[in-house]
Amino acid sequence: MEKLNLSALAFLCIFLSSSRNWITIQAQSLPPAKFDGFLYRSGRVDPDAILIEAFYDPVCPDSRDSWPPLKLALDHYGPRVSLRLHLLPLPYHDNAYVASRALHIANLLNASSTFPLMEQFFKYQEKFYNDQTINLSKASVVKQVVDFATPAVGNFLHSEFKTAFNDRRTDLKTRVSFKFSASRGVYGTPAFYVNGFALPDVGSPLDYNGWRKIIDPLVSAKFDSRLDLLHTKF
Ligand SMILES: *[C@@H]1O[C@H](CO)[C@@H](O)[C@H](O)[C@H]1NC(C)=O
Ligand SMILES: *[C@@H]1O[C@H](CO)[C@@H](O)[C@H](O)[C@H]1NC(C)=O
């Protein structure tokens, strides 16, 4: 028997292990060792950059539609704006959790494949809609996702990718993403925070001009305040 950890809030979730017939009490270690989310273009970011946090579900059409204009805006601002992507697999999208877990696995196996794989999920999203997969078992959806995802990550990683779906740690990472998003009060996707503050209109994509309207004043405010400081006589 696994040791039962009854300590306090760790006690969030009880599940039946399907392979064995005993009940495991899953102790979740929170906070996680690493801040949740995937940094876009990591390495090319000004530490003072304006931070956009996007909360996406890889099989949500509105998340999909919001990505091209956001990407365009990120290209426009370059290192002045950084993006951290958080995942919120929505419970009414049957394959959201598996797709989110695939992104975590991709990030672990080949970090630079994370965003390309997300774009691939967006491009072929219909394959993983509820109606499309209604007659499929969970196992066959996972197999489909593995086959779908490995070309982006590296074909030679196919068996590692498959094995990672049986590794409890990738499940925990995906749970942490869910918990992180929920703890920030996010209940729909896409949702955006800018420098820690929520933008209104959860669930509706912003267009490119919408992003410019939000970010332009912040970029110039930052620049102006630096100038003001330089011209202040002490
Ligand atoms: C990692 O993923 C990127 C993006 O899909 C790809 O270009 C690169 O070849 C992959 N790396 C390896 C070692 O396969
Ligand atoms: C699912 O199975 C039902 C009953 O066999 C069938 O009518 C339906 O077309 C199937 N749906 C898909 C998407 O395969």
PDB file of all heavy atoms in Angstrom, residues 225-234:
ATOM      1  N   SER A 225       8.304  57.485 -18.405  1.00  0.00           N
ATOM      2  CA  SER A 225       8.688  57.571 -16.995  1.00  0.00           C
ATOM      3  C   SER A 225      10.204  57.478 -16.846  1.00  0.00           C
ATOM      4  O   SER A 225      10.776  58.091 -15.957  1.00  0.00           O
ATOM      5  CB  SER A 225       7.958  56.535 -16.159  1.00  0.00           C
ATOM      6  OG  SER A 225       8.340  55.248 -16.554  1.00  0.00           O
ATOM      7  N   ARG A 226      10.856  56.754 -17.755  1.00  0.00           N
ATOM      8  CA  ARG A 226      12.319  56.736 -17.704  1.00  0.00           C
ATOM      9  C   ARG A 226      12.870  58.122 -18.021  1.00  0.00           C
ATOM     10  O   ARG A 226      13.754  58.619 -17.353  1.00  0.00           O
ATOM     11  CB  ARG A 226      12.881  55.726 -18.707  1.00  0.00           C
ATOM     12  CG  ARG A 226      12.834  54.312 -18.183  1.00  0.00           C
ATOM     13  CD  ARG A 226      13.382  53.355 -19.207  1.00  0.00           C
ATOM     14  NE  ARG A 226      13.126  51.984 -18.793  1.00  0.00           N
ATOM     15  CZ  ARG A 226      13.125  50.950 -19.625  1.00  0.00           C
ATOM     16  NH1 ARG A 226      13.366  51.123 -20.895  1.00  0.00           N
ATOM     17  NH2 ARG A 226      12.894  49.743 -19.177  1.00  0.00           N
ATOM     18  N   LEU A 227      12.288  58.755 -19.057  1.00  0.00           N
ATOM     19  CA  LEU A 227      12.741  60.102 -19.422  1.00  0.00           C
ATOM     20  C   LEU A 227      12.521  61.072 -18.273  1.00  0.00           C
ATOM     21  O   LEU A 227      13.395  61.868 -17.937  1.00  0.00           O
ATOM     22  CB  LEU A 227      11.971  60.591 -20.651  1.00  0.00           C
ATOM     23  CG  LEU A 227      12.533  60.177 -22.011  1.00  0.00           C
ATOM     24  CD1 LEU A 227      11.746  60.866 -23.115  1.00  0.00           C
ATOM     25  CD2 LEU A 227      14.012  60.527 -22.124  1.00  0.00           C
ATOM     26  N   ASP A 228      11.326  60.984 -17.653  1.00  0.00           N
ATOM     27  CA  ASP A 228      11.011  61.873 -16.538  1.00  0.00           C
ATOM     28  C   ASP A 228      12.063  61.752 -15.446  1.00  0.00           C
ATOM     29  O   ASP A 228      12.523  62.748 -14.900  1.00  0.00           O
ATOM     30  CB  ASP A 228       9.642  61.529 -15.938  1.00  0.00           C
ATOM     31  CG  ASP A 228       8.508  61.958 -16.859  1.00  0.00           C
ATOM     32  OD1 ASP A 228       8.796  62.670 -17.846  1.00  0.00           O
ATOM     33  OD2 ASP A 228       7.362  61.567 -16.600  1.00  0.00           O
ATOM     34  N   LEU A 229      12.431  60.529 -15.149  1.00  0.00           N
ATOM     35  CA  LEU A 229      13.419  60.311 -14.099  1.00  0.00           C
ATOM     36  C   LEU A 229      14.756  60.933 -14.477  1.00  0.00           C
ATOM     37  O   LEU A 229      15.418  61.551 -13.655  1.00  0.00           O
ATOM     38  CB  LEU A 229      13.613  58.817 -13.851  1.00  0.00           C
ATOM     39  CG  LEU A 229      12.618  58.175 -12.906  1.00  0.00           C
ATOM     40  CD1 LEU A 229      12.909  56.691 -12.790  1.00  0.00           C
ATOM     41  CD2 LEU A 229      12.692  58.829 -11.528  1.00  0.00           C
ATOM     42  N   LEU A 230      15.111  60.776 -15.741  1.00  0.00           N
ATOM     43  CA  LEU A 230      16.397  61.308 -16.182  1.00  0.00           C
ATOM     44  C   LEU A 230      16.430  62.823 -16.083  1.00  0.00           C
ATOM     45  O   LEU A 230      17.460  63.422 -15.840  1.00  0.00           O
ATOM     46  CB  LEU A 230      16.682  60.888 -17.640  1.00  0.00           C
ATOM     47  CG  LEU A 230      17.080  59.424 -17.816  1.00  0.00           C
ATOM     48  CD1 LEU A 230      17.182  59.084 -19.298  1.00  0.00           C
ATOM     49  CD2 LEU A 230      18.418  59.151 -17.132  1.00  0.00           C
ATOM     50  N   HIS A 231      15.247  63.448 -16.274  1.00  0.00           N
ATOM     51  CA  HIS A 231      15.206  64.910 -16.262  1.00  0.00           C
ATOM     52  C   HIS A 231      14.858  65.499 -14.898  1.00  0.00           C
ATOM     53  O   HIS A 231      14.773  66.697 -14.744  1.00  0.00           O
ATOM     54  CB  HIS A 231      14.211  65.411 -17.323  1.00  0.00           C
ATOM     55  CG  HIS A 231      14.674  65.083 -18.711  1.00  0.00           C
ATOM     56  ND1 HIS A 231      13.823  64.675 -19.709  1.00  0.00           N
ATOM     57  CD2 HIS A 231      15.916  65.056 -19.252  1.00  0.00           C
ATOM     58  CE1 HIS A 231      14.519  64.409 -20.808  1.00  0.00           C
ATOM     59  NE2 HIS A 231      15.797  64.642 -20.552  1.00  0.00           N
ATOM     60  N   THR A 232      14.630  64.636 -13.927  1.00  0.00           N
ATOM     61  CA  THR A 232      14.325  65.153 -12.589  1.00  0.00           C
ATOM     62  C   THR A 232      15.611  65.697 -11.968  1.00  0.00           C
ATOM     63  O   THR A 232      16.644  65.036 -12.005  1.00  0.00           O
ATOM     64  CB  THR A 232      13.783  64.019 -11.700  1.00  0.00           C
ATOM     65  OG1 THR A 232      12.605  63.511 -12.321  1.00  0.00           O
ATOM     66  CG2 THR A 232      13.449  64.500 -10.323  1.00  0.00           C
ATOM     67  N   LYS A 233      15.513  66.889 -11.400  1.00  0.00           N
ATOM     68  CA  LYS A 233      16.686  67.425 -10.704  1.00  0.00           C
ATOM     69  C   LYS A 233      16.561  67.045  -9.228  1.00  0.00           C
ATOM     70  O   LYS A 233      15.571  67.340  -8.578  1.00  0.00           O
ATOM     71  CB  LYS A 233      16.727  68.949 -10.871  1.00  0.00           C
ATOM     72  CG  LYS A 233      16.954  69.348 -12.314  1.00  0.00           C
ATOM     73  CD  LYS A 233      17.451  70.786 -12.414  1.00  0.00           C
ATOM     74  CE  LYS A 233      17.787  71.164 -13.833  1.00  0.00           C
ATOM     75  NZ  LYS A 233      16.572  71.318 -14.694  1.00  0.00           N
ATOM     76  N   PHE A 234      17.563  66.364  -8.733  1.00  0.00           N
ATOM     77  CA  PHE A 234      17.494  65.926  -7.331  1.00  0.00           C
ATOM     78  C   PHE A 234      18.064  67.002  -6.427  1.00  0.00           C
ATOM     79  O   PHE A 234      18.924  67.764  -6.826  1.00  0.00           O
ATOM     80  CB  PHE A 234      18.273  64.606  -7.146  1.00  0.00           C
ATOM     81  CG  PHE A 234      17.594  63.469  -7.841  1.00  0.00           C
ATOM     82  CD1 PHE A 234      18.046  63.008  -9.079  1.00  0.00           C
ATOM     83  CD2 PHE A 234      16.476  62.866  -7.293  1.00  0.00           C
ATOM     84  CE1 PHE A 234      17.414  61.985  -9.716  1.00  0.00           C
ATOM     85  CE2 PHE A 234      15.837  61.826  -7.946  1.00  0.00           C
ATOM     86  CZ  PHE A 234      16.324  61.386  -9.169  1.00  0.00           C
TER      87      PHE A 234
END
